Amino acid sequence: MISSHFHKTFRDVLDDLSLTGSLKLCLDATDIESYEGQGQVWRDRSGNGYDFNRGVDSAATAADPTFNGIAGRRSRNEYFSFDGGDLFTYDSANEAWMNNIHKDNAKFTIAGWVQFPSVATYQTVCATEGFVADIGFILCMTNSAKLQFNARYGASLNTLGLTSVASISAATWTFVAVTVDDAIGVNGAALVINGTSQLFTSTYATPSASAAVDTFRIGARGTSGIPLLNGARMGGLVAWEGVALTTTQLASIYAATRGRFGV
């Protein structure tokens, strides 16, 4: 077993794999430049400065996820934990790239390492929608342990809805990802759970041109709904917009980061 000291940060992995083009977000609980072990801000390492606040704003509240481990140490023991009411909130109004995820000609990838304590309840990885009737997107796990992505145009209708056949295991570190290129159509979208990927048709139906209703949040919907349950963990979240990574590229990220999480 390689010492945790030698595991690389997400940013280093993406640099090594030449996957930083159109990188919009790189949050890493083990990267001391992303989180130094204290404070309210989870810093973006993409170079764009798209930082997230612990909780609903910059003030310390009961909604703040808890940092665990030793700052800067890179192992499965460094992560943010959630208690069923915790979340991260983008520190400003949604950026254009965040709104582009649910719009026509969407082209993006979102990926992260998450541990779900139970797989019998819906739980959000990240979202810009507050309710199913809102405009925005949600990446979540369903109450049947499936990975799901929905882009919505309001009126409780999906412009794109994807649900995996493969299941997520409880209480186990899991690499999850969605990648979409609306313009491709057949096989232009995929959901990834660890080393398993499933292809879908990516065409958006009647997408909205409006901005998302709610601010981008991690660990819950925009209204704090369907949060990660008590005992959930997150090691990091990365996103690209303007490029959709292939399943081969996502598999390379999984292979390069799984050792840190003991997978």
Side-chain angles (χ1 to χ4, degrees), residues 37-51:
Q38 59 184 353
Q40 289 301 111
V41 180
W42 199 4
R43 293 184 176 84
D44 170 29
R45 292 279 283 117
S46 73
N48 297 302
Y50 298 135
D51 301 334

Side-chain angles (χ1 to χ4, degrees), residues 9-244:
T9 66
F10 288 161
R11 178 65 206 222
D12 288 341
V13 166
L14 299 180
D15 284 337
D16 289 348
L17 296 172
S18 299
L19 293 177
T20 57
S22 295
L23 180 67
K24 299 298 185 186
L25 185 66
C26 184
L27 301 171
D28 186 347
T30 74
D31 184 346
I32 201 164
E33 293 187 48
S34 187
Y35 193 72
E36 63 269 39
Q38 59 184 353
Q40 289 301 111
V41 180
W42 199 4
R43 293 184 176 84
D44 170 29
R45 292 279 283 117
S46 73
N48 297 302
Y50 298 135
D51 301 334
F52 279 69
N53 287 320
R54 293 169 60 212
V56 295
D57 53 33
S58 60
T61 70
D64 296 356
T66 300
F67 176 74
N68 297 261
I70 300 172
R73 186 183 180 200
R74 297 185 289 278
S75 77
R76 61 183 174 182
N77 297 317
E78 280 67 51
Y79 56 86
F80 284 101
S81 60
F82 298 75
D83 66 5
D86 293 341
L87 60 133
F88 291 93
T89 305
Y90 184 52
D91 68 359
S92 183
N94 286 344
E95 305 295 334
W97 72 265
M98 298 173 181
N99 285 318
N100 287 343
I101 290 172
H102 67 264
K103 292 182 178 181
D104 194 23
N105 294 313
K107 192 174 185 179
F108 67 90
T109 301
I110 301 172
W113 278 95
V114 188
Q115 186 174 134
F116 302 94
S118 166
V119 292
T121 303
Y122 271 91
Q123 295 169 71
T124 302
V125 177
C126 60
T128 58
E129 65 155 43
F131 298 97
V132 294
D134 288 344
I135 295 168
F137 81 88
I138 182 169
L139 177 63
C140 65
M141 185 192 66
T142 72
N143 58 1
S144 56
K146 308 300 183 183
L147 183 62
Q148 186 174 86
F149 172 81
N150 292 311
R152 305 192 198 274
Y153 62 93
S156 301
L157 297 171
N158 291 339
T159 187
L160 183 70
L162 313 175
T163 304
S164 69
V165 171
S167 297
I168 295 170
S169 298
T172 301
W173 278 112
T174 305
F175 180 75
V176 296
V178 57
T179 186
V180 173
D181 187 343
D182 172 31
I184 289 179
V186 176
N187 294 336
L191 293 175
V192 175
I193 300 173
N194 290 336
T196 300
S197 60
Q198 181 180 351
L199 296 173
F200 300 85
T201 295
S202 60
T203 307
Y204 275 27
T206 59
S208 174
S210 299
V213 172
D214 292 287
T215 305
F216 195 151
R217 288 189 170 178
I218 298 170
R221 275 178 166 169
T223 54
S224 304
I226 57 173
L228 290 174
L229 296 181
N230 185 26
R233 302 176 179 183
M234 180 171 287
L237 191 77
V238 291
W240 296 255
E241 195 274 327
V243 65

